[in-house]
Amino acid sequence: MRKRNNIFFAPGVHTGGGLALLKEIEPFLVEGNFFCILDLRLKPHVSDELIRNSSFYAPGIIGRVMAELALVRFSTYRTIVICFHSMAPIMSNRGVFNVFFQNANLLCSAIKNEGRSSIKPFVNSLLVRLGKKKINKVIVQTPTMKRLYEDKLGFSGEISVIPFSKEVVYSYRNRSGNKNKFLYVADASEHKNHQTLLEAWILLSDIGIYPELTVTLSCNSLWVIYSQAISKFKLKIINAGYCGDEKLSSLYTESSALIYPSLNESFGLPLIEASQYLLPIIASELDFVRDVCKPIETFNPRSPVSIKRAILRYTGNSDAEFISIKTSKEFFDEIKQ
């Protein structure tokens, strides 16, 4: 069995921002002769060159154990291991571990879990903490992520802030003043906050405003919820499904604004992409947003009313939202009747 000098360890990475970032560095993994330990679901998305120098493991506990056993077999004390899935392995005590931390939810859950088991967030947090002592260096993409890692883990080692994205120049398309065509690039994860966004669109329909919203969902169960609301409230919501680069480029150039109600992000790649397209951004008023972009409007992501009001401000329909303030005499005259 041949030991490896460089290992890229990424079990669980197969979709969303993790997949997009992995695709960006894929050529350098091939050029650098990295042996890759990857999620089986990633196989259709990577090149034949990378596949030839990789081992793939199924998702779930058994697959994760097999992936870590492979790391033990192939690594030595001099092996450089890039952990791309936000945590150092539990089993292996060999190698020099550089951890790319890209999942803020492993340290703090933004989701309220009323009535549901919280065992998964607890286990994830425990795995991160158990692997902490093996880490040589942590790489994050924003100052907010650096603070989170230091505060939650008490980590005093080296943490480098190294943001990266596609090296491309995007074209700007004139949108002819249309401010009613919104885009949300996100998967169906709970922290993406689709339910609150949908509630905001329902509130807009209550006052006779029907902006268009395009989502990018491949999750049928969540789209069923959207579809029921679309039918009941006559909402203008379209599902573009999973989008490759070309399709996503068209969505960015044809939309009037990116709406981004996410509760928690390590980087927020669509915020970066929208900025590169010069697309206005309406987003959660949270630190991770301000780390990477300058939104034109912000809102409280836990409040559908706040999201609705941000849309109304952006589209120039906010005047109807203000309440009429009574004088003290008018107030007294009302309550004495």
Side-chain angles (χ1 to χ4, degrees):
M1 182 184 302
R2 185 163 70 89
K3 301 295 183 179
R4 309 288 179 152
N5 294 325
N6 300 309
I7 295 179
F8 184 79
F9 188 63
V13 177
H14 70 286
T15 188
L19 171 59
L21 294 175
L22 191 151
K23 289 290 291 178
E24 286 300 305
I25 65 171
E26 180 181 345
F28 310 109
L29 295 174
V30 174
E31 292 171 11
N33 196 30
F34 275 81
F35 175 68
C36 300
I37 298 174
L38 304 175
D39 191 296
L40 185 62
R41 293 168 292 184
L42 189 64
K43 201 168 186 177
H45 302 290
V46 296
S47 65
D48 291 339
E49 291 85 356
L50 191 66
I51 289 174
R52 282 194 290 268
N53 207 27
S54 302
S55 287
F56 293 87
Y57 296 91
I61 295 175
I62 294 176
R64 177 57 183 273
V65 170
M66 296 295 291
E68 292 216 4
L69 286 173
L71 183 60
V72 172
R73 292 197 306 271
F74 288 111
S75 61
T76 71
Y77 290 102
R78 293 187 298 274
T79 299
I80 302 297
V81 181
I82 298 177
C83 300
F84 201 68
H85 66 309
S86 299
M87 63 181 77
I90 305 304
M91 295 183 187
S92 177
N93 59 2
R94 295 182 294 181
V96 177
F97 295 98
N98 295 336
V99 174
F100 178 56
F101 192 82
Q102 57 166 318
N103 189 347
N105 291 319
L106 292 177
L107 293 182
C108 61
S109 176
I111 308 302
K112 295 180 180 179
N113 289 299
E114 294 93 342
R116 290 181 293 167
S117 171
S118 59
I119 186 66
K120 186 174 180 179
F122 172 78
V123 170
N124 285 335
S125 178
L126 179 62
L127 292 175
V128 171
R129 294 169 194 278
L130 288 175
K132 180 184 69 170
K133 61 184 178 181
K134 300 176 181 147
I135 296 173
N136 171 61
K137 178 170 64 175
V138 175
I139 300 96
V140 296
Q141 292 193 273
T142 66
T144 296
M145 286 296 292
K146 183 176 185 291
R147 291 193 298 270
L148 176 67
Y149 202 88
E150 290 171 334
D151 293 346
K152 293 292 184 180
L153 292 182
F155 187 76
S156 58
E158 180 182 354
I159 304 179
S160 299
V161 180
I162 312 176
F164 76 96
S165 185
K166 295 178 181 178
E167 297 182 44
V168 292
V169 177
Y170 298 117
S171 61
Y172 176 73
R173 183 176 298 177
N174 189 327
R175 298 178 179 83
S176 304
N178 179 9
K179 286 191 170 185
N180 289 287
K181 197 169 183 179
F182 298 88
L183 171 67
Y184 186 29
V185 180
D187 61 23
S189 301
E190 285 187 87
H191 70 277
K192 299 298 184 180
N193 204 21
H194 280 277
Q195 185 64 49
T196 307
L197 180 63
L198 179 57
E199 290 172 13
W201 246 248
I202 292 171
L203 290 177
L204 287 166
S205 73
D206 288 343
I207 57 175
I209 294 177
Y210 297 88
E212 183 178 313
L213 172 65
T214 299
V215 296
T216 58
L217 293 172
S218 54
C219 173
N220 290 333
S221 59
L222 181 56
W223 181 241
V224 167
I225 296 173
Y226 267 105
S227 298
Q228 290 170 345
I230 291 168
S231 176
K232 182 176 181 180
F233 299 100
K234 310 303 179 185
L235 306 179
K236 296 180 180 179
I237 302 179
I238 302 164
N239 184 15
Y242 173 79
C243 297
D245 289 343
E246 186 175 346
K247 187 175 181 180
L248 194 56
S249 177
S250 295
L251 290 176
Y252 279 126
T253 55
E254 292 169 3
S255 300
S256 55
L258 179 77
I259 181 86
Y260 208 77
S262 178
L263 297 168
N264 198 17
E265 295 289 338
S266 307
F267 191 38
L269 189 58
L271 297 171
I272 302 293
E273 293 171 340
S275 298
Q276 292 170 323
Y277 275 97
L278 304 179
L279 183 66
I281 296 170
I282 303 170
S284 306
E285 184 54 69
L286 293 171
D287 290 347
F288 75 83
V289 173
R290 297 287 182 177
D291 276 341
V292 299
C293 72
K294 185 177 181 181
I296 195 169
E297 294 285 355
T298 61
F299 49 76
N300 172 4
R302 295 192 182 277
S303 167
V305 173
S306 183
I307 297 175
K308 178 192 75 169
R309 288 173 173 168
I311 296 295
L312 291 176
R313 290 194 301 271
Y314 176 69
T315 57
N317 293 301
S318 60
D319 290 347
E321 279 295 290
F322 295 112
I323 62 174
S324 176
I325 307 298
K326 304 289 186 181
T327 66
S328 54
K329 183 179 185 308
E330 289 171 334
F331 170 75
F332 186 74
D333 288 343
E334 285 285 340
I335 65 172
K336 73 178 183 181
Q337 293 179 2

